[in-house]
Amino acid sequence: MIKKLTLFIQLLACSSVLFAQRGAAPDPYVKDHFTKKELYITMRDGTKLFTAIYSPKDASKDKKYPVIMQRTCYSIAPYGEDKFPAKLGPSEIIMKEGYIFVYQDVRGRYKSEGVFTNMTPVIDDKKSKKDVDEGSDTYDTIDWLVKNVNGNNGKVGQWGISYPGFYTAAGILSNHPALKASSPQAPISDFFFDDFHHNGSFLESYIFTFPVFGVQKTDTTSKAWYSSQNIKPTTKDGYQFLLDVGPLKNFDQWYKDNFFWQETMNHPSYDEFWQKRSLPKHYKKVMPAVMLVGGWYDAEDLTGPLAIHRAIAKSDPNAYNTIVMGPFGHGRWSRETGHTLHSNVYFGDSIATFYQKNIEAKFFNHFLKGKGDKNSGLPNAYMYDTGKKVWQTFDQWPAAAATHEKLYLNADGVLSFGKPNGSGSSSFVSDPLKPVPYTEDNTTTEGFTPHNYMSEDQRFAGRRPDVLTFQSAVLTEDITLGGEIMSKLQVATTGTDADWIVKLIDVYPGDEPNHPYLPNKNILMSNYWQMVRSEIMPGRFRNSFEKPEAFVANQKTAVNFSLQDVLHTFKKGHKIMIQVQSTAFPLFARNPQKFVPNPYKAEASDYIKATHTVFGDSFIDVEVLK
């Protein structure tokens, strides 16, 4: 079980190259066409980072190639100059077009020296050689590469998915003049709002991953050194296992020496510790061309690409700053699956190949081999409409043509664009000892992240008494939501704390046929309740993420938060649904519903039932594209 879990964590969290190295059949192409060199590159503070360089065999002073680099905390295996991976680069297409590929273990990971820290804080004003961050390490690495690697053309690109996406996004801040193209893909932008947390709510589904990120190695190594801390579940049912563990403080029995778990437990609010690990605020003048990439169904890092794209657009409107969002889960654009599905929803065929060939390769080729000007032939935003199931292009994102509309949560369960005549209210009892499951698929509850839930059928939840359901009439015409979704709730609770979860759902008509590629033959697409977007908001942070505050019991209170962007057409004959609930376990840790200073240290007795009320003047602010 432990070996399988460790491999699963590495595979799901890593970029496409690690998927290829460990999951693909041996392929002689890399060995036949590239030479490999392993070496240490010394950073400005003396720390040495282990680096592997794969150069085309015909690279020379007369035939030069650009460099594409990935920096990662997940190992650059296989190690050894006579060991070659199955694939190189972001895709097989790029691999065969001619580049020098460089991989590097970041500080404190595997064969590199130094101490590892999660989401290395950015130092904007570096006053000495001891002031190092991922930007300076990227700069020092690029500087060495362009000066010492034979046959390079002086242009460097960087890419990475997930945590390597963060290193790519942070690498933009290096400002090295040779860095011409940067593609952060599914990057983490802020640990308090993405990945391990959503709006500060802890993702308990990540609990099994803490050994990967919270154990320091004692020496350079090519092996996973952290597996001794892995939790050994007593059942394959993660819902039951994690419920039986009880309060979050009980994870100390495994993680009392895990530095990342202790940091997480001791910083329950958005204090300086988390603020220092936020990337978006650091983008000022952006030198390289940037292409952010994400998936609409990315259960790990949906926030990152959208947040960084917005930040650059605001801080440097003249920067080359494009974004791509496809119908994918985490990193799934990096490998072709033929029939493109997410959960039970079928989007078409070869969508990953279309992205790799017509978007990703075009981006890198233009800026590393071509003219390198802003006329790349790519739009500002290449976005996939997950309802119409087609790519759309935009001059800016969110689209300038979008108009704001309000969907009201009427007390009678009706969802309407018109404001209700009377406010009224709807109530439900939330019991943290019997939380709403986030999924029907229990096989996913002990993995790295639960990929399928983001488009999963929500009938199982909406038919529970502790989930409120608001549904529109049958649509008489298509309605396209394109842009950000804001939840504007008016609520009350009999407790002093509560989480609020809002889900936007596409209700299919009763005559919807099953498509031929359904992975679960027991699913009916007839009346399917497809999740389009969801988000959680801890009520304690409704006024400030830095200074949490209790609810006054039974007092009507505003709770406003973003559900992230969408591009989804609700088709004629479908319905729009909103669900409101307070638990989604074990995706999110349970709120005790009694206000405590630190929920990570709550006692079992702090978990109480409470009645939550949603008033009829609550609404969801959506952006509609005509």
Side-chain angles (χ1 to χ4, degrees):
M1 175 67 184
I2 296 303
K3 290 182 179 179
K4 289 181 179 179
L5 179 60
T6 300
L7 180 60
F8 190 55
I9 287 170
Q10 290 175 333
L11 287 177
L12 290 184
C14 298
S15 66
S16 58
V17 68
L18 287 184
F19 270 101
Q21 289 168 350
R22 298 177 184 182
D27 185 337
Y29 185 89
V30 177
K31 186 176 182 179
D32 290 347
H33 291 81
F34 292 86
T35 58
K36 181 180 181 182
K37 186 174 183 179
E38 294 182 336
L39 48 82
Y40 280 95
I41 298 177
T42 303
M43 302 294 103
R44 64 190 65 183
D45 66 341
T47 301
K48 297 177 180 179
L49 303 188
F50 190 80
T51 308
I53 302 169
Y54 298 85
S55 298
K57 288 187 174 181
D58 60 352
S60 66
K61 64 179 182 179
D62 298 318
K63 190 166 186 179
K64 297 183 177 182
Y65 294 93
V67 174
I68 290 185
M69 176 175 69
Q70 179 182 103
R71 306 182 64 247
T72 179
C73 59
Y74 292 128
S75 156
I76 62 170
Y79 295 99
E81 292 189 345
D82 61 340
K83 301 293 190 301
F84 291 83
K87 298 290 185 292
L88 291 171
S91 72
E92 185 174 345
I93 294 168
I94 290 178
M95 176 180 72
K96 293 183 176 180
E97 288 196 356
Y99 288 91
I100 297 168
F101 296 100
V102 175
Y103 295 90
Q104 185 177 78
D105 289 329
V106 299
R107 286 175 180 259
R109 301 297 284 187
Y110 291 90
K111 298 196 75 172
S112 283
E113 297 178 350
V115 177
F116 175 68
T117 184
N118 285 289
M119 290 284 288
T120 311
V122 174
I123 303 173
D124 286 321
D125 184 16
K126 297 178 177 65
K127 297 179 180 179
S128 74
K129 290 183 177 181
K130 293 182 179 180
D131 290 337
V132 293
D133 57 16
E134 302 307 336
S136 66
D137 283 356
T138 300
Y139 186 101
D140 294 347
T141 300
I142 291 174
D143 207 55
W144 189 93
L145 291 172
V146 296
K147 292 175 181 177
N148 293 279
V149 175
N150 292 330
N152 84 85
N153 71 354
K155 296 181 180 181
V156 177
Q158 192 175 2
W159 114 98
I161 298 173
S162 193
Y163 223 143
F166 158 73
Y167 294 113
T168 304
I172 294 170
L173 303 172
S174 70
N175 291 324
H176 195 288
L179 182 61
K180 301 299 183 181
S182 179
S183 183
Q185 302 181 10
I188 315 160
S189 63
D190 190 313
F191 255 162
F192 203 72
F193 298 98
D194 204 2
D195 220 272
F196 279 81
H197 300 87
H198 282 209
N199 290 324
S201 176
F202 176 62
L203 270 76
E204 193 163 341
S205 54
Y206 275 51
I207 198 69
F208 298 104
T209 73
F210 274 85
V212 181
F213 304 109
V215 180
Q216 297 288 1
K217 64 185 180 65
T218 57
D219 198 359
T220 57
T221 179
S222 61
K223 307 295 183 182
W225 62 93
Y226 46 75
S227 58
S228 62
Q229 278 196 7
N230 285 343
I231 296 173
K232 300 177 181 178
T234 55
T235 171
K236 295 180 181 179
D237 180 353
Y239 180 104
Q240 191 61 52
F241 175 74
L242 294 172
L243 191 64
D244 290 344
V245 169
L248 292 174
K249 61 182 292 187
N250 292 345
F251 286 105
D252 261 2
Q253 64 186 293
W254 293 284
Y255 294 155
K256 61 180 172 41
D257 297 322
N258 186 292
F259 74 85
F260 186 45
W261 174 247
Q262 295 302 319
E263 290 169 344
T264 301
M265 282 190 71
N266 291 315
H267 297 278
S269 303
Y270 195 53
D271 60 11
E272 184 183 13
F273 176 83
W274 298 114
Q275 291 173 22
K276 287 169 63 177
R277 285 160 170 77
S278 177
L279 272 182
K281 62 186 177 183
H282 295 286
Y283 294 104
K284 298 178 177 65
K285 183 67 176 176
V286 175
M287 294 175 61
V290 177
M291 184 177 76
L292 280 304
V293 180
W296 287 127
Y297 304 111
D298 188 341
E300 295 181 41
D301 300 302
L302 174 64
T303 300
L306 294 164
I308 294 174
H309 178 73
R310 276 199 179 90
I312 294 176
K314 182 178 180 179
S315 65
D316 188 359
N318 294 319
Y320 184 96
N321 172 36
T322 188
I323 185 168
V324 182
M325 297 293 292
F328 303 111
H330 189 64
R332 299 298 172 90
W333 52 87
S334 67
R335 60 199 188 283
E336 184 54 71
T337 58
H339 308 307
T340 304
L341 291 97
H342 188 271
S343 184
N344 297 297
V345 184
Y346 170 60
F347 293 102
D349 293 340
S350 303
I351 298 177
T353 296
F354 175 89
Y355 156 77
Q356 293 169 14
K357 181 179 181 180
N358 299 291
I359 302 175
E360 185 177 57
K362 192 172 185 177
F363 171 77
F364 281 118
N365 286 341
H366 178 77
F367 289 102
L368 299 180
K369 293 185 173 185
K371 293 182 178 180
D373 57 13
K374 291 185 178 181
N375 298 317
S376 66
L378 294 170
N380 176 265
Y382 224 131
M383 316 296 266
Y384 191 90
D385 185 322
T386 52
K388 284 186 176 179
K389 301 179 181 178
V390 294
W391 286 103
Q392 305 276 20
T393 61
F394 299 89
D395 294 332
Q396 67 179 66
W397 186 264
T403 59
H404 286 266
E405 303 281 353
K406 297 177 181 178
L407 283 166
Y408 281 91
L409 311 184
N410 293 268
D412 58 2
V414 172
L415 184 69
S416 67
F417 281 104
K419 189 172 184 179
N421 293 327
S423 62
S425 64
S426 305
S427 299
F428 64 97
V429 176
S430 175
D431 183 354
L433 300 185
K434 296 180 180 179
V436 180
Y438 74 89
T439 181
E440 286 187 299
D441 185 359
N442 286 327
T443 66
T444 67
T445 53
E446 289 182 355
F448 189 87
T449 50
H451 287 273
N452 289 333
Y453 87 93
M454 291 188 71
S455 67
E456 196 175 2
D457 187 0
Q458 297 301 303
R459 282 175 282 199
F460 77 94
R463 291 166 178 166
R464 283 180 56 122
D466 47 359
V467 177
L468 298 180
T469 299
F470 305 88
Q471 188 170 219
S472 75
V474 175
L475 299 178
T476 58
E477 59 181 15
D478 290 357
I479 295 179
T480 300
L481 304 188
E484 192 172 43
I485 302 170
M486 290 295 298
S487 179
K488 304 279 189 174
L489 299 184
Q490 294 289 332
V491 301
T493 177
T494 58
T496 51
D497 200 1
D499 289 343
W500 303 93
I501 298 169
V502 171
K503 299 187 292 191
L504 172 68
I505 294 164
D506 186 342
V507 178
Y508 290 27
D511 60 358
E512 183 77 18
N514 281 1
H515 61 76
Y517 311 115
L518 267 177
N520 185 343
K521 300 305 180 183
N522 295 321
I523 288 291
L524 290 175
M525 301 308 290
S526 170
N527 201 46
Y528 190 85
W529 294 7
Q530 180 198 335
M531 181 121 82
V532 174
R533 185 64 70 242
S534 66
E535 191 55 282
I536 188 170
M537 182 65 188
R540 64 194 293 113
F541 295 133
R542 65 194 180 278
N543 293 322
S544 169
F545 287 105
E546 294 87 355
K547 298 178 180 179
E549 57 186 284
F551 282 91
V552 176
N554 299 309
Q555 180 173 298
K556 188 175 181 180
T557 306
V559 176
N560 303 325
F561 59 101
S562 167
L563 269 69
Q564 303 304 334
D565 298 17
V566 296
L567 178 59
H568 186 88
T569 296
F570 292 80
K571 293 184 177 180
K572 177 182 177 181
H574 289 224
K575 299 177 185 178
I576 304 174
M577 178 184 287
I578 296 292
Q579 289 181 2
V580 180
Q581 59 199 69
S582 283
T583 52
F585 188 77
L587 178 64
F588 297 109
R590 296 164 296 146
N591 189 316
Q593 302 190 151
K594 172 186 175 182
F595 184 86
V596 293
N598 186 341
Y600 292 94
K601 299 181 179 181
E603 302 290 343
S605 59
D606 293 325
Y607 290 77
I608 61 172
K609 288 184 182 179
T611 299
H612 301 327
T613 299
V614 176
F615 293 93
D617 51 351
S618 300
F619 63 89
I620 311 300
D621 185 289
V622 296
E623 294 187 78
V624 178
L625 294 176
K626 300 296 186 181

